[in-house]
Amino acid sequence: MSRFEPGTSISYEKLHENIDIVRKRLNRPLTLSEKIVYGHLDDPVGQDIARGHTYLRLRPDRVAMQDATAQMAMLQFISSGLPKVAVPSTIHCDHLIEAQIGGVEDLKRAKEVNQEVYNFLATAGAKYGVGFWKPGSGIIHQIILENYAYPGVLLIGTDSHTPNGGGLGSICIGVGGADAVDVMAGIPWELKCPNVIGVKLTGSLSGWTSPKDVILKVAGILTVKGGTGAIVEYHGPGVDSISCTGMATICNMGAEIGATTSVFPYNHRMKTYLNKTGRADIAALADEHKDDLVPDKGCKYDQVIEINLSELKPHINGPFTPDLAHPVSEIGAVAEKNGWPLEVKVGLIGSCTNSSYEDMGRAASLAKQALDKGLKCKAAFTVTPGSEQIRATIERDGFSKILRDVGGVVLANACGPCIGQWDRKDVKKGEKNTIVTSYNRNFTSRNDANPATHAFVTSPEIVTALAIAGTLKFDPETDYLTAANGEKFKLEPPNGDELPARDFDPGQDTYQHPPAESGSVMVDVSPTSTRLQLLEPFDKWNGKDLEDLQVLIKVKGKCTTDHISAAGPWLKFRGHLDNISNNMLIGAINIENDAVNKIKNRLTGEYGGVPDVARHYKANGLSWVVVGDDNYGEGSSREHAALEPRHLGGRVILVKSFARIHETNLKKQGMLPLTFADPTDYDKIRPDDKISITGLATFAPGKPLKGVVKHGDGSQDIITLNHTFNENQVEWFHAGSALNRMKELQ
């Protein structure tokens, strides 16, 4: 059953009207993503529209927040002083449940450990008109697909894998909590007008090849930053061979190529899914407005990639980065050559990327073949259902029993090991080992906090096959297994129904609707809490240039939001800015000594942890700057990675290039995200330098700033620093944060 709040409207008429205005203005055919994005313009008549250049002011239809990011988003909304959210919004409890024993026990423990946070989110939701999905309900993106996404909707979510909803013809974009606050406050939301990358699909999927292989292939082509600033739009005759949830898998992992989001055109697979999930009325409306839910004939893409699905082979990507693509047939030889461990220690299926009924059915079809031959998994094996509805349905239809019988442990309906919520016991920290997952991310230490774990990303089917075989040197298309009786056999290609023949079993009701009257609802935040802390506004800009900022750390190489603000055990502090700031940049590599969390305090001459040195500088009135490399802030939509530097006295992040969400998050908190006009100037910065940022009195869009780099030997370099601030964002900087600016405008 879908949970649409009263007042939720699906206005295809308004969408059509806006599309019509913009198409006449631009006088050209529109891509699907342009139709949906421009169809939500605040001012379709006057808005400047230039792909890759102008900032669009948009009116999203919905907001969704997962529990780790919802804490800070709701704390910011509370401090805005507004009485109710202006658009339908929901909170989803999926991030704080640690995988340890199994679903029932882990959920029970999570409810006890996180009671204070869950109570805060439930009462804040009730107070401010936000729907609340209780712990155990499932992963935010699966819940959105089952209940809230629909063709043509514009939804923003405080999680980087929000684009999952593109599998249902939606434009769903991952943002920081401060962006969510804007939308919940009824303020137009800003997005840089995206470029559009077209992926033309021909042929059809069959055999061992799955939807996951499409995005694994695309990631190999575009790399982790090839989609930055763009929406990836799939089209072509091959689209119809992919299920709705398969399309969602492809869109979900588009986050790994830096794409703003990804989307598929409305088709009969989406209609079937809408009907099966209790939304036949929406499917009927979408049918009536289908012309607005597919690209115009003759529309132009900024780049086109073509993939023949009939020729596509199963892929496995990794380790340590999601864009290192290999055909499964070659991974054993590549692993041997590179010295990667061949033994698969754990196979993990599920996550927001791959936990649909179809995924679970296809995995179970392989597990049953192994069981019929007297085999169990050689590797440990875990299964994460994406939602309570999926859990209940695969339990009813026998898939869960098969997966347990082959050696699997069914975990809670939550993110779990995918985001580092995994109390792993089978290897010691530092022990080199291989795991294979159907997740989306495999950065160093991501899943189990062990930097020596080689994590590979592939489809649930390939994970299951490799868990049964126990080695990367197994190609299920060509290699044989040995049955219990000694006979050799090959696994038949996986098969599974797209949707249950019977309707979905909804399982337990885990949804709390906000009450119509909330005047009596109290939201508690204890002043002595270690997990929740009301926010104090950041200081306004003092009107002067930023003089003599100390280089806190010059980061070497990849620096994701996991490096800047680690997840795992730190998730429990997501509602307490001061406590979580103790993880700031503790995973970043210091170029001075190739060490993590060990930098020189330039005031004392001693070495210390990054947050400790930052606190010492702040206490002594010394503001600081972080210097970084390319694609800084890649990964999750984690706004804590922007809040923490601001809280601990940082003013500037100076890098070669930024990941989109992180750059916006920094601007929202009153930070200056700047890039080297000449990337080789990165090499001029020394770890003990001081940097002054000049030109702030005339800070304006498109006008570079200057950096005066003062070296310890008395010499200096003057460098040009670029930024992407627009006029509104400059006002955020002046006010000290976007939230401060919102209050000024009330």
Side-chain angles (χ1 to χ4, degrees), residues 277-594:
T277 50
R279 293 172 287 172
D281 53 340
I282 299 175
L285 276 173
D287 279 345
E288 284 177 38
H289 296 88
K290 186 170 182 185
D291 286 351
D292 291 330
L293 305 174
V294 295
D296 286 340
K297 281 191 172 64
C299 67
K300 292 284 190 288
Y301 297 101
D302 296 287
Q303 178 184 354
V304 177
I305 295 164
E306 206 160 321
I307 296 175
N308 184 338
L309 300 178
S310 301
E311 295 172 358
L312 185 64
K313 287 293 187 182
H315 273 64
I316 182 166
N317 288 22
F320 306 122
T321 184
D323 59 350
L324 187 58
H326 324 271
V328 170
S329 58
E330 296 172 14
I331 188 63
V334 174
E336 275 187 320
K337 182 182 167 192
N338 288 299
W340 301 334
L342 289 171
E343 181 194 357
V344 175
K345 284 279 191 185
V346 192
L348 305 101
I349 66 168
S351 83
C352 64
T353 320
N354 275 112
S355 55
S356 66
Y357 184 83
E358 180 182 41
D359 288 329
M360 295 298 170
R362 283 168 67 90
S365 76
L366 297 171
K368 185 162 191 322
Q369 291 180 56
L371 288 168
D372 288 347
K373 298 289 187 180
L375 295 186
K376 289 195 170 191
C377 290
K378 286 187 178 170
F381 187 48
T382 71
V383 180
T384 308
S387 67
E388 170 60 9
Q389 179 164 273
I390 294 293
R391 182 209 63 77
T393 307
I394 66 171
E395 192 69 57
R396 178 197 72 193
D397 292 353
F399 299 164
S400 295
K401 182 178 189 310
I402 293 168
L403 294 169
R404 280 194 292 264
D405 287 349
V406 86
V409 175
V410 179
L411 299 173
N413 314 322
C415 302
C418 182
I419 59 160
Q421 283 283 47
W422 183 17
D423 184 20
R424 189 178 179 193
K425 304 288 193 192
D426 64 304
V427 296
K428 293 187 176 69
K429 195 161 182 177
E431 185 181 332
K432 205 169 161 183
N433 75 101
T434 284
I435 64 172
V436 181
T437 82
S438 72
Y439 303 163
N440 41 44
R441 269 191 194 141
N442 58 348
F443 303 139
T444 304
S445 303
R446 166 87 178 178
N447 303 121
D448 62 0
N450 180 3
T453 293
H454 293 54
F456 294 85
V457 175
T458 185
S459 66
E461 300 94 311
I462 296 295
V463 172
T464 306
L466 294 180
I468 292 165
T471 174
L472 285 178
K473 283 197 78 173
F474 179 70
D475 177 3
E477 290 193 293
T478 58
D479 293 343
Y480 288 80
L481 293 166
T482 305
N485 65 5
E487 92 176 83
K488 300 282 188 188
F489 74 101
K490 262 171 70 174
L491 290 170
E492 293 294 321
N495 64 76
D497 292 333
E498 176 180 347
L499 294 161
R502 292 182 280 170
D503 284 342
F504 281 108
D505 181 339
Q508 297 176 39
D509 184 7
T510 52
Y511 178 67
Q512 171 191 293
H513 196 283
E517 291 298 323
S518 60
S520 62
V521 177
M522 297 297 294
V523 181
D524 281 338
V525 177
S526 164
T528 58
S529 172
T530 60
R531 298 197 59 179
L532 296 164
Q533 180 187 46
L534 293 172
L535 295 173
E536 295 291 329
F538 290 129
D539 57 317
K540 295 176 70 164
W541 176 57
N542 63 8
K544 300 175 184 173
D545 285 338
L546 297 172
E547 295 285 349
D548 292 332
L549 303 177
Q550 179 66 58
V551 173
L552 177 71
I553 179 173
K554 182 179 179 183
V555 178
K556 178 181 176 182
K558 189 188 276 269
C559 191
T560 71
T561 47
D562 281 341
H563 295 94
I564 304 165
S565 175
W570 292 94
L571 284 171
K572 61 178 172 283
F573 297 125
R574 284 284 177 86
H576 197 293
L577 180 54
D578 195 54
N579 283 347
I580 198 168
S581 293
N582 289 322
N583 77 1
M584 186 191 73
L585 286 159
I586 62 174
I589 297 172
N590 179 9
I591 202 165
E592 188 176 19
N593 54 10
D594 278 347

Side-chain angles (χ1 to χ4, degrees), residues 642-694:
L643 280 159
E644 292 171 30
R646 182 75 162 103
H647 176 64
L648 294 186
R651 298 313 312 262
V652 174
I653 309 291
L654 173 57
V655 301
K656 292 181 184 175
S657 66
F658 284 100
R660 175 190 65 85
I661 299 176
H662 187 60
E663 183 180 23
T664 303
N665 286 349
L666 288 165
K667 292 176 185 176
K668 288 259 175 182
Q669 304 309 336
M671 294 285 285
L672 274 181
L674 304 175
T675 55
F676 296 103
D678 177 357
T680 63
D681 284 344
Y682 169 87
D683 300 319
K684 293 178 181 172
I685 312 288
R686 302 170 195 167
D688 62 343
D689 284 345
K690 290 194 170 181
I691 302 176
S692 296
I693 309 298
T694 64

